[in-house]
Every structure is written in structure tokens, then in C-alpha cells.
Amino acid sequence: MQNRLKGKTALITGASSGIGEACARSLAEAGCHLLLTGRRAGKLEALARELEEKEAVAVVCLPMDVTDRAEVEFGLGEALKRHEIDILINNAGLALGLEPLDRGEVEHWERMIDTNLKGLLYVSRLVMAQMRERDTGHILNMGSIAGEVAYPGGNVYCATKAAVHMLSDAMNVDAMGTKIRIGTVAPGAVETEFSDVRFEGDRSKRDAVYAGYDPLTAQDIADLALYILNAPGHVNIQHVRVMPTAQRNPYLLHREES
Ligand code: NDP
Ligand code: 8X3
């Protein structure tokens, strides 16, 4: 397959682990220069140095909390003066808790809404403005099957991901008449730090999520992201749903007895 990514510049939010980190590795391998964000500066720096050495691409770390609008506007605003972004992967996100709504923690709700939705908005506003000026660019938003089918205790997380799907559609409408492309990937179960975060380090709850079947890996999603981003300029892959073969929807997950 032709490599249309070499020499492009990609900004990835949430590149310090999981899907974002795998996307960073794959895009660097394809010859993309990178801007990496996340709150854990040490992890970003280690990844940046590794990829610069291994893949001979330029990697800039922009440690930031996407929920902090001032931090995003200042940090990313300054970076955009020096870098033209061809690709934005809006990946930073999290789920917290799995309680019915009436027993949910408001602090959890606020963090999910602030990260998954408002953080994506703060970043996209700045980057899309630059893309519009250049009349080029590709934005890939990380949605979820949780944004398509509600599951018990998913409530606010599901709502944020449904909002991401609708925002992607709305961004496509707003990009009408430009060469900017916007897509969403909606994965099912991917084994990353996602469940460690959701269950706040409870190992047995985390392990139970991935027991008895082969979940998707972060690399599976990075492979898909690369396919979407590498498509020719007239091809805008707007929405892709992907699940492990064992999972047919959030409820129907076939687990083998161990
Ligand atoms: P991880 O927990 O491994 O990665 C999440 C990433 O988001 C980390 O790099 C984290 O960095 C970053 N992040 C979280 N909060 C913030 C914040 N406030 N500011 C900046 N960065 C932040 O999980 P995944 O890789 O699985 O998740 C990536 C995306 O994929 C999320 O949007 C998630 O909802 C989505 N997804 C995941 C699925 C799964 O089953 N794993 C399935 C469907 C969708 P740091 O902690 O350093 O800030
Ligand atoms: C993550 C997938 O089904 O655990 O978005 O919510 S799920």
C-alpha cells in the first residue's frame, strides 16, 4: 500500500499509554513527525526519545491536562505557531466507575465529561482552525461502542462517547467545502490501562473485563487508524465500529471457561 503519511505531522492526545501510544508508534514507523500530549510527562518523554532514535522522526512532547482550557489554549496555541498539524487523533479519554446513575459519583461524571467531551472540543477548536486556514487535515476521534449501545453502569461514559460520535458528524458538516476529513473509530473491548483507570487499580475487577476471550489490542486500533489516515484525500472514512470476534455487542461477549 502506498505510504501517504511520510513527512506529515500528527498530534495525538493521550499518547502516554494504550491506543494513543500505539498510534504514536505506528505513525512514527510510517514516517510521521509527532506532537504527543498527556499528563504523564515522563512517559511521553521516554516514548519521544525512543521513537526519535528508532524512526528518525521529530517528536515534541506537550504535557497537558486536556480538561484545563487555559493550559490547552496556551500550550497548544504556542505549539501551533511552530507546527502545522496534518493529523489530529483525539484519543485522550477515560471511564470512571460502573454504578447506576443514582449511585454515581458526581466527581466521576465531571471528569469524564471534562476529558472525553470538553477536552476534545478545546483541542479540536484550535487545530481545526489551523486546518481550515491550510485547507487540509484529518481528524480522528476515538469513540466507542459505548456511544452506540448503553450498558448497565455505563451511563455518563456512554453519553460522552455518543456525544463524540455526534460531534464527529457535526465537525464533518462544519468542514463542508474544505479538504478536511473527520472520522470516528468506535472500538469494543481493548486491553489497555482503560479498566485499571475505571476501577481505580482494582486488579480483580480489571482482569475480569478481559477474562476468557481475546480482547482487541491497542495495536489493532492503531492499525485501523493508520488505514483510515492513509486513505487517499478524496476518501473520508467517517465511522468504523470494531470489536473482538468474541464480542458482538457490549452485552454479547462469548467467554471460554478456563
Ligand atoms: P488508557 O487509559 O490506556 O489511555 C488513556 C490516555 O488518555 C492516556 O494516555 C492518558 O494519559 C490520557 N488522558 C486521560 N485523561 C487525560 C487528561 N485529562 N488530559 C490528557 N490526557 C488524558 O486507555 P485507552 O488507550 O483504552 O483509551 C484511549 C481512548 O480510547 C479513550 O478515549 C477511551 O475512551 C477509548 N476507548 C477505549 C476502549 C477500551 O476498551 N480500552 C474501547 C473504546 C474506546 P495521562 O494519564 O498521562 O494523562
Ligand atoms: C470502552 C468500551 O464497552 O468498556 O469504551 O465501554 S466499553
Side-chain angles (χ1 to χ4, degrees), residues 13-21 37-41 43-44 63-68 90-95 111 114-116 142-146 157 160-161 164 185-198 209-210 216 218 221 242:
T13 69
S16 54
S17 73
I19 295 169
E21 179 182 341
T37 84
R39 292 164 300 179
R40 287 170 290 177
K43 293 201 81 175
L44 293 178
M64 66 173 68
D65 183 337
V66 293
T67 69
D68 186 330
N90 273 317
N91 165 76
L94 79 174
R111 278 184 59 201
D114 288 352
T115 310
N116 302 357
M142 205 49 66
S144 170
I145 58 165
Y157 178 69
T160 64
K161 289 299 178 179
V164 168
V185 175
V190 190
E191 189 167 9
T192 60
E193 293 180 15
F194 180 84
S195 294
D196 300 272
V197 173
R198 169 170 247 169
V209 174
Y210 308 112
L216 296 170
I221 306 302
V242 54

Side-chain angles (χ1 to χ4, degrees), residues 211-213 255-258:
Y213 69 103
R255 298 178 195 264
E256 302 285 345
E257 300 285 327
S258 58

